[in-house]
Amino acid sequence: MTPLVSIQDVHKRFGETTVLSGMSLDVRKGEVICIIGPSGSGKSTLLRCVNALVRPERGRITVSGIEVTAPRLDPIALRRRVGMVFQQYNLFPHRTALQNVMMAPISVLKQERREVEARARALLAKVRLQGKEDSYPGELSGGQQQRVAIARSLCMQPEVMLFDEVTAALDPETVKEVLVTIRELAEEGMTCLLVTHEMGFAREVADHVYFTDRGVIVEHGPPAEFFTAPRDARTREFLGKLL
Amino acid sequence: MLSLVIGVAGAFAQGSRFAPLRWFVAGYVAFFRNTPPLVQMYFFFFALGAITPTVPDDIGMEVPLVSNFVWALVALSLFAGAFNVEIFRSGIEAVPRSTVEAAESLGYTRLGTYREVVLPLAFRVCLPSLNNNLVNLIKTTTLAYAIGVPEMLYVANQIWSDSLNVTEMMNVLLLLYIGLVSLLVWLMHRWERAMRMPGYGT
Ligand SMILES: Nc1ncnc2c1ncn2[C@@H]1O[C@H](COP(=O)(O)OP(=O)(O)O)[C@@H](O)[C@H]1O
Ligand SMILES: [Mg+2]
């Protein structure tokens, strides 16, 4: 089976700094892939290459048959298939929770408002935000905002979700409510590519774990192996610091 | 109104990838910000007005195709528009890059992002300065007097020349301007309230 997301030998640099020097990884449909690694190692840049927020200089990325690295890419076709959730939630502060979720399907996908609204309400209920539909982002806690952001991405009915350290800005109590939401998604079969520092979570949920350092993938493997018997010294050092 | 449209369009053009368009807007802003509005109005009326064609009116007199009222409107709109471009630009720059990226990652085009996310947020940031500029614009309309547009000062002048009641007319005039500006300020305040974002203390 061809992978849903295929990243082959991707290189990226910003000016003088080389951020990615040849990363490759595949995500098959329904898989949950976790990427861990020290900050500055290029994890966010890699995720952003997948939905074309960043264009790599070299390498090839395909998502669900779409050639992301093609010179003439249709960004809408790509982005309706790829949802992305950020560390800082990035909700639209001038719109209510419900409006945040409904905006893109209506104005980008031109879907019918009634149908979108029903879906948006169901999604907000699913992320346990029933009753908060009319709240503005500024009136919600970090964890609640992040769950609105997840619902907003899901409302585009993507085939794969990218999560970039979505719990890093949250306080410990609210981390759990967001992780529960992501786990449920994973259990329903959503394909997920996530960058996280929550080792316990990665261990439980991931099908495969990648460790990155300075723009390369140092090692990868199934979580049981990866966490109990890391082969590379850098991985051991990194895991050692966290435990 | 026209000056608002110019402001929005100009600020959008300044973010364009097409360099000549950015230079054009920058030149426009520099020109209209750094010259007095009265000189601009004279320039439009006497310099450009002189080279525009005339048409015969219904009693056979040759009148300019573009009336002095329209010239005043154009000059004032361009003048206020130049300031609005700058005001909107600062508002747009205040919108976090990450919020724009969120819109892009949802499939919004640049124009769509601008319309549904950047502009509504930028508007909220720059409403106070916009408010100031529009109040200034109302006051600057008195300059249209200079090219014979019957704005309020001109009409008042006619009345006092006819009946020698300068003091009373000056009072009426001041009150009228206060009324007009207050009306604008009141409208802007209502607008500001309507655009409040709960939870952000603005
Ligand atoms: N748009 C950008 N312009 C310049 N440098 C960038 C940009 N984005 C990321 N970088 C640099 O790339 C490096 C890797 O960043 P990032 O991918 O965010 O790493 P991580 O997510 O692993 O912490 C950092 O040194 C960062 O400063
Ligand atoms: Mg990062």
Side-chain angles (χ1 to χ4, degrees):
Chain A
M1 195 173 80
T2 56
L4 185 60
V5 178
S6 160
I7 301 171
Q8 289 162 34
D9 194 35
V10 164
H11 292 250
K12 176 70 197 177
R13 62 160 179 257
F14 293 107
E16 292 293 288
T17 33
T18 301
V19 179
L20 303 178
S21 27
M23 283 200 187
S24 304
L25 69 85
D26 284 347
V27 189
R28 265 168 288 277
K29 191 167 164 34
E31 262 187 340
V32 176
I33 303 291
C34 284
I35 303 175
I36 62 174
S39 92
S41 63
K43 308 178 299 294
S44 301
T45 307
L46 185 69
L47 283 200
R48 293 147 67 82
C49 284
V50 173
N51 76 347
L53 283 177
V54 170
R55 309 300 300 262
E57 281 102 37
R58 251 175 67 198
R60 184 160 181 265
I61 300 174
T62 58
V63 174
S64 176
I66 296 176
E67 191 89 34
V68 180
T69 37
R72 291 200 63 77
L73 164 77
D74 172 6
I76 295 176
L78 172 68
R79 286 172 182 156
R80 65 182 296 171
R81 288 175 174 78
V82 183
M84 182 159 189
V85 185
F86 303 84
Q87 181 174 335
Q88 289 301 336
Y89 342 125
N90 300 347
L91 293 178
F92 307 129
H94 60 303
R95 294 269 179 266
T96 64
L98 183 65
Q99 289 169 338
N100 262 276
V101 178
M102 292 172 61
M103 280 166 74
I106 290 174
S107 91
V108 175
L109 303 181
K110 313 281 181 232
Q111 292 174 347
E112 209 206 321
R113 173 173 289 272
R114 282 240 308 280
E115 176 203 327
V116 173
E117 179 166 347
R119 199 163 73 225
R121 285 186 186 279
L123 280 169
L124 283 174
K126 184 183 149 103
V127 298
R128 298 183 182 80
L129 286 174
Q130 216 149 17
K132 297 286 182 193
E133 288 86 354
D134 298 325
S135 303
Y136 284 82
E139 301 170 313
L140 298 173
S141 74
Q144 292 172 328
Q145 290 190 57
Q146 195 57 291
R147 283 178 285 150
V148 174
I150 293 173
R152 179 174 71 175
S153 282
L154 290 175
C155 205
M156 295 289 282
Q157 301 175 302
E159 291 173 33
V160 53
M161 288 284 285
L162 311 174
F163 295 91
D164 190 2
E165 295 193 39
V166 294
T167 57
L170 301 177
D171 46 84
E173 293 95 82
T174 51
V175 166
K176 223 177 103 204
E177 58 190 48
V178 172
L179 292 183
V180 165
T181 301
I182 300 175
R183 182 204 307 251
E184 283 174 359
L185 266 180
E187 280 163 1
E188 287 164 18
M190 174 59 79
T191 312
C192 298
L193 180 54
L194 50 104
V195 172
T196 183
H197 284 137
E198 299 289 330
M199 297 303 148
F201 179 76
R203 194 170 184 155
E204 277 174 60
V205 177
D207 295 302
H208 213 83
V209 181
Y210 286 79
F211 177 74
T212 59
D213 190 22
R214 285 179 233 149
V216 294
I217 289 166
V218 175
E219 77 172 280
H220 62 94
E225 236 170 74
F226 179 88
F227 287 107
T228 49
R231 289 183 303 270
D232 192 277
R234 277 186 281 180
T235 320
R236 280 198 293 272
E237 194 198 326
F238 181 76
L239 292 176
K241 256 188 254 162
L242 284 171
L243 299 175
Chain B
M1 266 347 259
L2 205 55
S3 73
L4 285 182
V5 175
I6 292 176
V8 171
F12 181 67
Q14 283 206 320
S16 155
R17 263 187 300 239
F18 185 56
L21 188 62
R22 287 202 307 270
W23 298 333
F24 173 76
V25 175
Y28 156 66
V29 171
F31 178 77
F32 280 93
R33 274 207 335 172
N34 301 330
T35 55
L38 182 59
V39 173
Q40 291 163 17
M41 198 135 26
Y42 272 1
F43 170 75
F44 274 94
F45 184 58
F46 292 115
L48 296 185
I51 53 172
T52 47
T54 57
V55 286
D57 69 1
D58 19 313
I59 54 165
M61 295 257 286
E62 289 289 311
V63 295
L65 182 61
V66 183
S67 74
N68 49 3
F69 172 74
V70 172
W71 280 124
L73 187 74
V74 168
L76 286 172
S77 298
L78 288 175
F79 169 67
F83 283 89
N84 285 347
V85 170
E86 285 296 291
I87 292 171
F88 278 120
R89 205 183 51 151
S90 65
I92 286 164
E93 276 164 8
V95 177
R97 176 81 200 116
S98 57
T99 308
V100 173
E101 274 184 349
E104 283 174 4
S105 75
L106 287 165
Y108 277 102
T109 57
R110 196 172 105 79
L111 189 64
T113 304
Y114 204 81
R115 199 181 49 224
E116 290 192 28
V117 178
V118 177
L119 264 190
L121 290 173
F123 250 117
R124 286 164 170 83
V125 174
C126 59
L127 261 180
S129 346
L130 207 57
N131 210 338
N132 270 338
N133 192 30
L134 290 182
V135 168
N136 255 324
L137 176 61
I138 288 192
K139 294 191 282 189
T140 314
T141 55
T142 43
L143 293 182
Y145 180 66
I147 59 171
V149 176
E151 51 70 61
M152 286 206 286
L153 181 59
Y154 178 88
V155 174
N157 192 342
Q158 284 215 315
I159 297 175
W160 83 53
S161 326
D162 287 351
S163 45
L164 303 171
N165 52 356
V166 179
T167 323
E168 289 90 332
M169 277 321 293
M170 267 337 273
N171 288 338
V172 169
L173 197 59
L174 276 178
L175 284 177
L176 274 175
Y177 270 106
I178 290 172
L180 207 55
V181 170
S182 313
L183 181 69
L184 176 76
V185 170
W186 180 75
L187 281 174
M188 294 295 277
H189 269 293
R190 290 207 30 172
W191 196 23
E192 251 174 90
R193 266 221 311 277
M195 304 224 305
R196 217 173 46 106
M197 295 185 283
Y200 280 85
T202 43

